[in-house]
């Protein structure tokens, strides 16, 4: 059985080695998938180090993940009987790993909406990642974005009517739109985290992207009901929160 596990680890190592640049956005998804696969055979405590990899750069994250998998291979090689008894129970994977409590906040020019979302997340004892509030560490904007994006398990996009757009030569069809960076980041996180780990809030009469229809959009009403709806989405996605914290 240990040989099967070693083959799985070797495959994941190969996939990781094929990622050679920080422009490759597959690392967070690779880590989640690797943990999910191995947790069917290995006790969750032995995977916590991989789950908690969170350095300041993409390169260091990749290096740390490779080192941890290679160390795991050595342990399995040297102590196969012990590993089989401890990490290959008859009923594989009884527990779930706790997701990161970091949530990325995608926003436009509406500072009030951004602040309301961030403070709501903090009430739930989650870490709201707002790009401009994070340290630069000498990085460019895109490098800073990639660093912070790789650390989160969920993203909240806020669509606010910051821009106006219309088909060429048809100004009478003008509609309010979210900033282009918001739409770009929404697509980015939908790709690396999956749509189930992205929530979309909207404010006012803002245009909804046509190729993103079919998902749940949460209206930011003045009464604050959106906070409870968002919290339920976070809990459904597996984040460890207490809805009573909003009271």
């Amino acid at each position: 059985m240990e040989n099967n596990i070693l083959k799985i680890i070797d495959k994941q190592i190969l996939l990781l080695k094929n990622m050679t640049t920080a422009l490759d956005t597959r690392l967070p998804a690779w880590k989640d998938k690797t943990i999910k696969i191995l947790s069917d055979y290995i006790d969750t405590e032995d995977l916590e180090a991989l789950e908690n990899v969170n350095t300041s750069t993409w390169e260091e994250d990749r290096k740390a993940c490779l080192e941890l998998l290679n160390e795991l291979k050595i342990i399995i090689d040297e102590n196969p009987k012990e590993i089989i008894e401890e990490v290959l129970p008859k009923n594989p994977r009884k527990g779930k790993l706790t997701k990161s409590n970091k949530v990325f906040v995608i926003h436009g020019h509406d500072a009030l909406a951004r602040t309301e979302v961030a403070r709501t997340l903090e009430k739930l004892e989650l870490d709201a990642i707002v790009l401009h509030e994070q340290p630069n560490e000498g990085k460019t904007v895109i490098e800073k974005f990639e660093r912070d994006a790789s650390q989160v398990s969920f993203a909240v996009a806020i669509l606010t009517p910051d821009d106006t757009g219309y088909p060429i030569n048809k100004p009478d069809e003008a509609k309010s739109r979210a900033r282009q960076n918001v739409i770009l980041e929404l697509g980015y996180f939908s790709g690396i985290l999956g749509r189930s780990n992205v929530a979309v809030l909207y404010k006012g009469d803002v245009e909804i992207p046509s190729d993103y229809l079919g998902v749940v959009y949460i209206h930011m009403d003045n009464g604050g009901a959106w906070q409870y709806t968002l919290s339920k989405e976070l809990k459904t996605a597996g984040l460890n929160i207490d809805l009573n914290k909003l009271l």
Side-chain angles (χ1 to χ4, degrees):
M1 182 65 73
E2 64 268 22
N3 289 333
N4 292 333
I5 299 177
L6 290 175
K7 288 180 180 178
I8 292 173
I9 296 175
D10 283 335
K11 179 180 178 181
Q12 295 308 112
I13 288 176
L14 180 61
L15 289 172
L16 184 54
K17 285 183 175 179
N18 287 334
M19 303 178 204
T20 58
T21 172
L23 294 177
D24 195 321
T25 61
R26 294 175 294 169
L27 182 55
W30 172 91
K31 187 166 75 168
D32 287 345
K33 184 175 182 179
T34 300
I35 292 172
K36 182 178 180 180
I37 293 172
L38 293 179
S39 61
D40 283 336
Y41 307 96
I42 297 176
D43 189 80
T44 54
E45 292 184 3
D46 295 292
L47 296 174
E48 284 184 357
L50 184 60
E51 171 74 10
N52 294 328
V53 168
N54 182 14
T55 67
S56 59
T57 67
W58 182 92
E59 290 81 5
E60 288 298 318
D61 276 0
R62 177 179 178 273
K63 179 181 178 182
C65 289
L66 283 172
E67 290 177 349
L68 286 169
L69 288 187
N70 282 315
E71 289 174 4
L72 184 58
K73 285 182 60 179
I74 293 173
I75 294 173
I76 294 174
D77 274 332
E78 293 180 349
N79 304 287
K81 293 183 179 180
E82 179 180 348
I83 294 297
I84 290 173
E85 291 176 357
E86 295 187 359
V87 304
L88 292 178
K90 293 181 180 179
N91 297 313
R93 197 186 181 207
K94 294 182 179 179
K96 290 185 178 179
L97 290 170
T98 302
K99 278 194 170 184
S100 163
N101 72 332
K102 295 179 183 292
V103 178
F104 199 97
V105 180
I106 306 167
H107 64 89
H109 285 167
D110 192 326
L112 177 59
R114 179 193 69 217
T115 301
E116 287 179 336
V117 172
R119 300 301 83 87
T120 297
L121 294 172
E122 289 168 359
K123 281 185 180 180
L124 296 169
E125 299 184 353
L126 298 174
D127 189 359
I129 303 299
V130 179
L131 192 62
H132 80 273
E133 294 180 356
Q134 306 307 308
N136 291 321
E137 298 181 342
K139 298 182 180 298
T140 63
V141 174
I142 187 63
E143 289 173 334
K144 184 179 172 183
F145 173 77
E146 290 172 342
R147 177 201 66 196
D148 296 338
S150 67
Q151 301 172 11
V152 305
S153 63
F154 199 93
V156 179
I158 312 171
L159 306 186
T160 52
D162 298 323
D163 292 344
T164 300
Y166 54 84
I168 191 168
N169 298 325
K170 295 182 179 180
D172 56 318
E173 297 183 15
K175 295 181 180 180
S176 297
R177 290 179 175 175
R179 296 282 295 170
Q180 289 183 326
N181 74 286
V182 174
I183 302 303
L184 173 64
E185 292 170 22
L186 171 58
Y188 179 92
F189 281 106
S190 297
I192 66 171
L193 297 178
R195 285 181 297 167
S196 61
N197 292 305
V198 178
V200 183
L201 306 178
Y202 72 95
K203 195 174 184 180
D205 187 22
V206 65
E207 184 179 32
I208 302 299
S210 61
D211 57 353
Y212 207 67
L213 294 174
V215 302
V216 176
Y217 288 89
I218 304 170
H219 179 237
M220 293 188 72
D221 62 295
N222 294 329
W226 63 268
Q227 298 178 26
Y228 293 93
T229 306
L230 173 60
S231 300
K232 290 177 182 177
E233 292 295 319
L234 291 164
K235 193 170 185 67
T236 299
L239 279 79
N240 185 24
I241 63 171
D242 180 2
L243 298 182
N244 292 319
K245 297 287 185 180
L246 293 178
L247 299 177

